[in-house]
Amino acid sequence: MTKSTTHLRRRGSIDVVDAKVAVDLATAQTYSENVFLFVPNLIGYSRIILAAVALHYMNYHPIYSTLAYCISCLLDAFDGHAARALGQTSKFGAVLDMVTDRCTTSCLLCYLSSAYPNWALAFQFLISLDFSSHYMHMNSSLVTGSRSHKQVDSDVSWILSLYYDSRTLFLVCAGNELFYIALYLMKWVHTPLSVTLGVNGGILSNITWPEVMAILCGPVCFLKNVVNVVQLWKASKVLVGVDLAERAKAREEEAQLAKKS
């Protein structure tokens, strides 16, 4: 057996559950174990509602919009803990969480594209990078049998392994979102920080508190998008490696059939 085929293994439930069977199981599930009603998934639905509220107020009420958006993002830190504590981890919940993150951030970036038209192309690039990176990574996790897209071995990528540590993930994602929120608030807040704090002169006389937040969180946003590039590249290599392994296995099976015939 060639080296490329020695590492082939089953992919768990993805290979053994037929789509029609899965639909029937989801339709017939009981209230006592309804995945749609798992606590972490209920948290996910509340995040979607809060994100919708934030988007509704985004164009004319920055306080309501910012509060709803921030609460939606903060709840992201609790659904994973709830899933593990209650034994309610699920593939649906993992995908719901990731899709909610991507869509919420993308909607804010769409608003920033209209608020800063000269930077629209940059925001469009960030949306595309975010979606493509996570889509490729999710698929590479599925085809290699990983139970979660957040489980990355250090021998695959030490950067991603470090990034998906729960504490690192929270800090980087929070800093990234705070940077975008700061850009949003910069369109609404024009009072210098010196006036807000009641101090005289200095550098604070020409800068607002959202601008300070953007300066502090900007490097974190840059780091997050570097990770997105790494994630996109590593996921692409994993998918190509799976293709090569499957092609090698197919050739080996064809050779064995040719010998038998």
Side-chain angles (χ1 to χ4, degrees):
M1 184 175 291
T2 63
K3 181 179 179 181
S4 59
T5 59
T6 56
H7 299 289
L8 290 175
R9 54 190 176 87
R10 293 186 64 81
R11 300 173 193 165
S13 61
I14 296 174
D15 278 346
V16 299
V17 178
D18 179 78
K20 179 60 169 63
V21 174
V23 170
D24 291 341
L25 286 171
T27 303
Q29 62 187 325
T30 62
Y31 179 80
S32 61
E33 193 179 26
N34 191 319
V35 176
F36 287 122
L37 299 180
F38 279 3
V39 171
N41 296 337
L42 294 177
I43 295 175
Y45 307 147
S46 67
R47 291 187 61 210
I48 295 173
I49 294 172
L50 285 166
V53 171
L55 294 173
H56 172 73
Y57 286 113
M58 191 165 285
N59 203 38
Y60 63 93
H61 206 305
I63 295 178
Y64 288 171
S65 179
T66 302
L67 284 176
Y69 191 93
C70 288
I71 294 173
S72 176
C73 291
L74 285 174
L75 286 176
D76 187 30
F78 293 98
D79 54 4
H81 292 294
R84 290 185 290 272
L86 299 173
Q88 294 183 344
T89 58
S90 64
K91 290 180 174 61
F92 170 73
V95 175
L96 175 68
D97 181 56
M98 190 187 74
V99 170
T100 301
D101 289 341
R102 306 285 71 74
C103 292
T104 303
T105 304
S106 295
C107 288
L108 177 55
L109 288 172
C110 286
Y111 180 88
L112 294 178
S113 294
S114 63
Y116 300 92
N118 292 336
W119 293 92
L121 185 61
F123 292 126
Q124 291 167 1
F125 169 77
L126 292 176
I127 293 172
S128 300
L129 175 61
D130 198 37
F131 265 104
S132 60
S133 170
H134 285 83
Y135 181 82
M136 295 279 281
H137 178 63
M138 175 66 78
N139 275 274
S140 69
S141 298
L142 290 174
V143 300
T144 54
S146 177
R147 294 183 60 85
S148 170
H149 68 282
K150 295 181 180 179
Q151 293 179 346
V152 181
D153 294 333
S154 58
D155 56 350
V156 174
S157 172
W158 67 268
I159 294 177
L160 295 181
S161 178
L162 177 62
Y163 170 71
Y164 278 112
D165 174 80
S166 58
R167 290 167 294 185
T168 305
L169 184 64
F170 174 79
L171 291 174
V172 174
C173 290
N176 182 65
E177 294 297 334
L178 286 174
F179 176 72
Y180 296 144
I181 292 171
L183 294 182
Y184 165 69
L185 291 174
M186 282 167 55
K187 301 298 292 186
W188 298 88
V189 179
H190 305 290
T191 304
L193 194 56
S194 59
V195 176
T196 304
L197 297 177
V199 297
N200 295 322
I203 190 174
L204 298 182
S205 62
N206 297 316
I207 193 169
T208 63
W209 67 265
E211 290 172 339
V212 173
M213 188 166 71
I215 292 171
L216 294 176
C217 296
V220 181
C221 178
F222 176 78
L223 174 62
K224 174 69 168 63
N225 285 284
V226 169
V227 171
N228 279 345
V229 172
V230 173
Q231 182 168 258
L232 178 62
W233 174 238
K234 288 293 182 179
S236 299
K237 292 183 71 174
V238 169
L239 291 172
V240 168
V242 170
D243 283 334
L244 292 172
E246 290 180 345
R247 289 170 66 85
K249 183 179 180 181
R251 287 194 298 269
E252 183 179 320
E253 291 175 349
E254 289 175 359
Q256 291 176 350
L257 288 173
K259 288 181 180 179
K260 291 180 180 179
S261 61

